[in-house]
Amino acid sequence: MSSSARCVPVVAALSACVLALAACDGGAGSGGGSGGASGGASGVGDPYFPEAGNGGYDVSHYGLTLSYDPDGGRLTGSAVVTARATADLSAFRLDFVGMEVAGVTVEGSAAEFRRDGQELTVRPSDSLAEGETFEVAVRYSGSPRTVTDPDGSKEGWLRTGDGALALGEPVGSMAWFPGNHHPSDKASYDVAVTVPEGLTAVSNGELRSRKAAGGGRTTFFWRTAEPMASYLATVAVGEFTVTGSTTRDGLPVYVAVDPTQVVASRAVLARLPEVMEWAQDNFGPYPFSSAGAIVDRPGDAGYALETQNRPVYPGAPDLPTLVHETAHQWFGDSVTPKSWRDMWLNEGFATYAEWLWAEDEGGATAEQTFTGLYEHGVEEYADLWDFPPAKPTSAAHVSDKPVYLRGAMVVHRIRQTVGDDAFYDIVQGWAAAHRHGNADTEAFTAYVEEAAPDADFDGIWSDWLYGEGKPELP
Ligand code: TRP
Ligand code: ZN
């Protein structure tokens, strides 16, 4: 799959390329959303992460061939990105941070490239015409970076006691492969990871094969056929106890657990099939072709993440977290936000799933949880009313309590307004309408209004979704 053999000469030509690009591509596409003839824009105009993603093309597939050495922390890789030009392009950009780039080809021919911050600008030897499908291959190596988010959390490439863990929300995936790293551009993936024998490499989708790679190494071939946003891509390298099974519906389940976590996580993981069935009853058909979990050690990451098919848990998950990450497979992974402003569509629904689970299990009803939060939530969550869920204050706040809790309260206000039957129709209809796609807050409010034309949601949108301060209850 790698076309690396054809791009050897690029290294010698490099310094000339860099100068040529700087001269003729200076300033192309800085900021704006449209891809110009000279180069695709450096971002897609995300209000919170303006440099994330790129203009001028749409990726359909990533073919990643990676080799990792846990002792040295070194990753060697090639990324073959298949994309369609959405504008005439004499140059375009990929997001990529750290690592050394050894060469870039476009359609098999060496291409000039330049790096500037997170932007890898590629100038193909032949310009690309709007509508053209092309393949860009990037060869790279180095020690991938751990990225610190605006909120202080760590993502990107995390080294662990026995390997590594790649997490990408919101912008960490650009630390381990070049791409169009914005949730609005989803693609299918083939990920091959070679690791020392005895270690396992886990990723999204299904394990197609595993083969001896020679030199005491093993290659794991993973395939994700359904569209995936790059922030949901993962690779976990380490010692894992793997359990493969199938649900009653015949869905393959692949669960990889760090040996030190097997005992502590057994009881909760045994309930995954039950949680999946419950989620399908509530949210509609499961959107992907396999499921599972990756359980690493408690310190390996600071949070759980809804990586597609197979959420990552740092240490044995508790049941609410298992429910939360499972719900994300519908809300976030299948129906993906159009921009990071729409984060509450992920976290509000995943949090509301926890409330529903508790209610269905005979615990607090969602109404009780809502009322408790409304009356006393701020005592526990001081920032609860700091900003409306659909308008986080800044990138540092996209995972704050108003996005999760007040987001879930918006969902509950809809349920209060329409009643249970219409509510579950709305939830399932929304998941079905945008299955494997992207959606924003405006699409959501429009969907709800259309689904319940006799109800009045104006106050919910103006006060709960977009309004500052603690809303009044009717
Ligand atoms: N999405 C994760 C969850 O709730 C939490 C998370 C991790 C997150 N990193 C983030 C949320 C970055 C927003 C931004 O399961
Ligand atoms: Zn979440």
Side-chain angles (χ1 to χ4, degrees):
M1 178 169 289
S2 160
S3 46
S4 56
R6 280 175 286 167
C7 58
V8 174
V10 82
V11 178
L14 236 183
S15 53
C17 307
V18 172
L19 289 174
L21 255 175
C24 52
D25 195 44
S30 51
S34 66
S38 62
S42 64
V44 294
D46 189 280
Y48 293 84
F49 295 88
E51 295 296 305
N54 303 276
Y57 63 92
D58 182 14
V59 176
S60 58
H61 183 75
Y62 291 94
L64 309 180
T65 304
L66 309 174
S67 180
Y68 188 61
D69 160 34
D71 291 336
R74 230 184 127 70
L75 180 73
T76 305
S78 87
V80 179
V81 182
T82 308
R84 193 178 57 82
T86 56
D88 291 339
L89 296 172
S90 59
F92 61 89
R93 294 175 165 101
L94 298 164
D95 298 313
F96 198 32
V97 289
M99 308 296 284
E100 291 115 50
V101 175
V104 179
T105 66
V106 176
E107 292 295 273
S109 300
E112 300 170 0
F113 66 91
R114 170 170 70 117
R115 302 194 69 187
D116 181 13
Q118 70 180 54
E119 306 297 331
L120 167 63
T121 303
V122 176
R123 180 174 294 276
S125 54
D126 293 318
S127 289
L128 300 161
E130 180 177 351
E132 193 179 330
T133 295
F134 62 99
E135 219 175 71
V136 48
V138 180
R139 288 184 303 123
Y140 56 96
S141 63
S143 298
R145 280 190 199 171
T146 299
V147 176
T148 303
D149 290 336
D151 71 1
S153 59
K154 304 280 189 200
E155 52 158 333
W157 194 266
L158 309 172
R159 290 185 71 175
T160 62
D162 57 353
L165 178 61
L167 296 178
E169 188 177 32
V171 290
S173 295
M174 63 181 77
W176 58 283
F177 65 98
N180 199 24
H181 290 298
H182 189 265
S184 56
D185 191 0
K186 297 164 78 165
S188 57
Y189 286 69
D190 279 282
V191 180
V193 191
T194 302
V195 294
E197 219 172 283
L199 298 186
T200 300
V202 188
S203 187
N204 313 89
E206 291 88 56
L207 181 63
R208 309 286 296 190
S209 63
R210 76 181 260 178
K211 290 187 184 125
R217 295 171 73 80
T218 312
T219 305
F220 294 79
F221 295 86
W222 291 90
R223 173 168 297 169
T224 299
E226 292 102 6
M228 178 166 75
S230 73
Y231 79 91
L232 297 167
T234 189
V235 167
V237 176
E239 287 173 29
F240 286 107
T241 302
V242 173
T243 312
S245 60
T246 44
T247 64
R248 283 197 290 200
D249 306 332
L251 187 77
V253 181
Y254 182 103
V255 174
V257 183
D258 185 285
T260 65
Q261 304 302 308
V262 168
V263 173
S265 50
R266 186 170 289 142
V268 167
L269 290 177
R271 299 188 70 175
L272 181 58
E274 177 195 346
V275 170
M276 295 273 299
E277 279 180 24
W278 172 86
Q280 298 205 65
D281 287 345
N282 286 281
F283 311 140
Y286 180 70
F288 302 120
S289 45
S290 67
I294 299 167
V295 180
D296 236 323
R297 296 180 202 169
D300 289 345
Y303 48 83
L305 189 66
E306 63 268 27
T307 42
Q308 193 155 305
N309 310 90
R310 199 156 290 112
V312 166
Y313 303 96
D318 57 24
L319 196 50
T321 306
L322 191 82
V323 169
H324 180 108
E325 306 308 339
T326 299
H328 269 310
Q329 301 303 309
W330 283 257
F331 307 107
D333 296 18
S334 171
V335 182
T336 303
K338 236 180 213 159
S339 89
W340 290 111
R341 177 172 31 213
D342 306 310
M343 192 67 195
W344 80 275
L345 288 170
N346 289 11
E347 302 304 344
F349 273 97
T351 302
Y352 197 68
E354 295 177 55
W355 300 4
L356 284 176
W357 172 268
E359 176 173 318
D360 291 351
E361 288 280 284
T365 63
E367 178 67 22
Q368 287 166 333
T369 305
F370 174 91
T371 304
L373 267 179
Y374 186 79
E375 285 169 2
H376 301 290
V378 74
E379 294 158 23
E380 192 176 345
Y381 311 105
D383 63 344
L384 182 60
W385 308 112
D386 277 10
F387 61 84
K391 278 195 294 177
T393 327
S394 70
H397 296 283
V398 294
S399 48
D400 284 3
K401 290 295 173 275
V403 174
Y404 282 69
L405 298 175
R406 196 169 154 183
M409 294 175 91
V410 170
V411 178
H412 189 69
R413 289 288 294 115
I414 296 168
R415 183 176 170 198
Q416 287 175 332
T417 304
V418 301
D420 277 9
D421 286 353
F423 173 73
Y424 284 101
D425 285 350
I426 287 172
V427 170
Q428 294 181 14
W430 170 248
H434 296 281
R435 177 183 156 93
H436 296 166
N438 290 91
D440 59 16
T441 303
E442 289 69 37
F444 178 74
T445 54
Y447 182 86
V448 172
E449 285 173 3
E450 220 170 280
D454 298 332
D456 180 5
F457 300 99
D458 289 355
I460 301 180
W461 308 153
S462 66
D463 300 351
W464 285 86
L465 198 46
Y466 295 110
E468 299 294 335
K470 182 177 176 177
E472 299 285 334
L473 278 175

